[in-house]
Amino acid sequence: MKVLFKPWLLALLCLNVLSVLTVPTAQAHGEKALEPFIRMRTIQWYDVQWSTQKFNVNEEVSVSGKFHVAEDWPISVPKPEASFLNISTPGPVLIRTERYLNGKPWTNSVSLEPGGDYEFKVVLKGRLPGRYHIHPFFNLKDAGQVMGPGVWLDIGGDPGDFRNTLKTINGEVIDMESFGFANGVFWHLFWGVLAAGWLLWWVRRPLFISRYRMLDAGLEQELITAQDKFIAKAVLVGVPVLVLALNAVTANRYPDAIPLQAGLDRILPLPAQVNAGTVNVDAIKAEYNVAQRAMLLQVSVDNRSQGAVRIGEFSSSNVHFMNAELADVGHMPGKDDVSNNGLSLDNNTPIAPGEQRTVTIEVRDAAWESEKLDGLIKDADSRIGGLLFLYDDVMGKRYISSISAAVIPKFN
Amino acid sequence: MSAQIPISTFNPYRGEKARLVRAYDYLILVLALFLFIGSFHLHFALTVGDWDFWVDWKDRQWWPLVTPLIGITFPAAVQAVLWDKFRLPLGATLCVAALLLGTWVTRVFAYHYWNYFPINMVLPATMVPGALVLDTLLMLTNSLTITSIFGGAAFALLFYPTNWPIFGMFHQAVEYHNSQLTVADLFGFQYIRTGMPEYLRIIERGTLRTYGQYATPLAAFCSALLCSLMYPLWWYIGKWFADTRYLKSI
Amino acid sequence: MATTTEHVSLSSENPKSLPWYLIDLPKYLKGFGILTVIYVGLRLYQGAFAIEHGLDSTEPAFEQYWMRLFYIELAIIAAVAGGFWGYLWTTRDRNLEQLAPKEEIRRYFTLTMWISIYTFAVYWAGSYFAEQDNSWHQVAIRDTPFTANHIIEFYFNFPLYVILGGCAWLYARTRLPLYAKGISLPLTLAVFGPFMILVSVGFNEWGHTFWFREEFFAAPIHWGFVIGVWFALGVGGILLQGVTRLIELLDRIPDAE
């Protein structure tokens, strides 16, 4: 056995040697594996910002932003009747201290309405130093996780500086990091010693072959002695009495204990922010050119606003394709989820008030492939979805439309 | 297969044979320890799992129902062999102790040291008192029927009061951002679990209070009934697996 | 660990003077030690590289740190299965009719050690790394069947205990008369039932792919593993087979001080 096991150890050693080679650090959390139609047509995030990306243990950081719940919710995804705004972290390196939806604090899950607009804020506190890639995201019941945009957070300082104390309704101040730990260990040891004592009481004498033989020979009465019976009776009576007594003491100590709280939070959407009716956009057709990694979107724009508007951005699954012609809006150089020249139009002239125009938008970028959004053409549901941002430069206004259309693949 | 030995000719092992059978005992004990940690823990984690992992799953309705119901299985099956064939009244305690050993190692090294969850958030529940009652009752009565009815019921009824001294303190109320939470709920909110949204908890969410809000005793008595049925079922499952036949082919 | 009748004379000359029935004890203890080193090593590897490179299966680092480990595991598993099973089969005792009672007793002890090594591997697979799966999937978003814990648990730990269970089964079948004459039902249940846990991985991944995206550990898609592990209770039958046969054999050897 020894000889045969040696290659295993050698392999592990080799593995460790191989692993010292430098490779890029993971920057995402597996969101690319989720079908694109779910990422594009459920929670549509925008304007997500972090208060800071560098802070110390015990200091707070907040992430805030907005999201639109797509009207064209995929048939295969259960409706968001229970949803939970979460943070993807490699364990609780941060703790979540506050969370707001449309300005209201909430701690449980919430029902979202398709077509609804929401703004959120989550406050976190650094717990363990390190550099972590963190996303806000939604857990959608029975549908999975829909990620918001991620950033790197640098948490400095000393883990010993972390404090998380709270006051109960009865006024007791508790330290969440250690609360109930020593008590739990004590009771486990207490019962563990009793269990060990009972086991050792039997294990100390000959067991299997000896007892089987004696039982087979009709010597059962010698296997269970009067002393065994006395101890068993004491255990049989004493243990339940002790359990009930300890329970009574605890119940007396915490008379105001309450059950776990499990209500669904009820928070209504904001007044319409997306598809608000001032500038209407309707997607007519979408074609994806595989070779060019380009999505051609044909949309009909109906400008009912007071000013001329121009299409500045198409955003889907946290990738922002920007119109280079509108360098003054939303241009974000250096961000890896922004394609600054990714969007171009067949007609870049502003769409006048009252005008209805059919526009062909080319959204061309390697991100379709690198973000695995082009997987759409291989999905059972191949409809694209996203947010189209239109700007009125003069009035300084922004109009957002959530659009969707079936995608027709073009392979050459 | 049984080696029938008349009482009159029974000779206890002495010398080398006594040492040999004792060595065999120790080998079997080591084997059994890891067997029951591995098998009972897997069975338990994939059926009761979440209720035992997280402090904010330990509710009044499901936790005291599901845990004893699943927890009585292996103890009954192991007792069926150890008591029936060896008159060793330790099957239940052995299984539950093995489960706790495996659980504690995992909570410390997998949850805390690997993924930074505080251990007080993942404290396991204990079923040791119920197991001791099962073992002693079976020993004193030597009756499957009495152990099923009273032992099974006791195993379920003792579960919640056994664990209240550990978990009661986590049910103190906290006022938090205009709402009322328990300390346990707050662990779930604050110590972020990417894969565990709040709605995933299968916990008491409130229902018709025909019996005046006595949720826990109702769950415990329901569990007691089910455990009384589960116990003999698993006793026979244990017996079935302990078949000693040799087959001609498989 | 496997020996044939001829080895008895050699073993009785062991300078460490272990009793003749415990002659394989050092190999047994080394087996425990080696398995412990391997499992602890894998856990340390997870601690070092899982959070850094194991969160996204689409990153190149994931391929380097995790998929490479997966391929190495497959190669090792194939080699170990072939090596152990081949060795046990090719060195089988072809003369079992003339096996002396003392040697048969010793082999029962060695079989018990094999099963014990098997259950030690079941511990790591069924207890530690199994529940650790829940812990890891609270941190990583499952985006591949080959997550940083699955690569250890499903594709190394599961096959390894299957191999070791197979070793116990083969050892009994090739070296002990009763197990050679008939196929032990409880030993077969205790080895083949947990083997079905490995098969249940397919059901699990199918479920997670198509209809269950939540990290609910007690979910029905995991119950295939649960049913598989019930068969470990077959060890009770193996114990009874061993005890009854050992009683017979002990009656056939003289008493000694």
Side-chain angles (χ1 to χ4, degrees), chain A residues 57-58 86-96 124-129 132 134 155 159 162 164 177, chain B residues 54 110-122 186-195, chain C residues 51 135-136 138-140:
Chain A
V57 166
N58 219 37
N86 211 339
I87 302 289
S88 76
T89 72
V93 296
L94 306 131
I95 64 163
R96 175 173 36 219
L124 306 158
K125 187 156 86 162
R127 181 166 175 250
L128 287 169
Y132 309 106
I134 311 286
I155 306 178
F162 182 73
N164 186 19
E177 291 286 297
Chain B
W54 307 109
Y111 289 84
H112 183 63
Y113 283 114
W114 193 16
N115 294 321
Y116 316 128
F117 292 105
I119 299 175
N120 51 356
M121 186 183 183
V122 291
L186 208 51
F187 269 100
F189 179 75
Q190 289 193 331
Y191 291 82
I192 301 168
R193 294 166 298 196
T194 299
Chain C
I51 283 177
S135 172
W136 178 243
Q138 297 305 323
V139 167

Side-chain angles (χ1 to χ4, degrees), chain A residues 97 177 203 211 216-217 220, chain B residues 3 7 22 87 176 191 198:
Chain A
T97 56
E177 291 286 297
V203 165
R211 294 180 76 88
D216 214 34
E220 185 176 358
Chain B
I7 297 174
R22 194 62 181 143
R87 286 293 181 267
Y176 202 73
Y191 291 82
E198 185 280 330

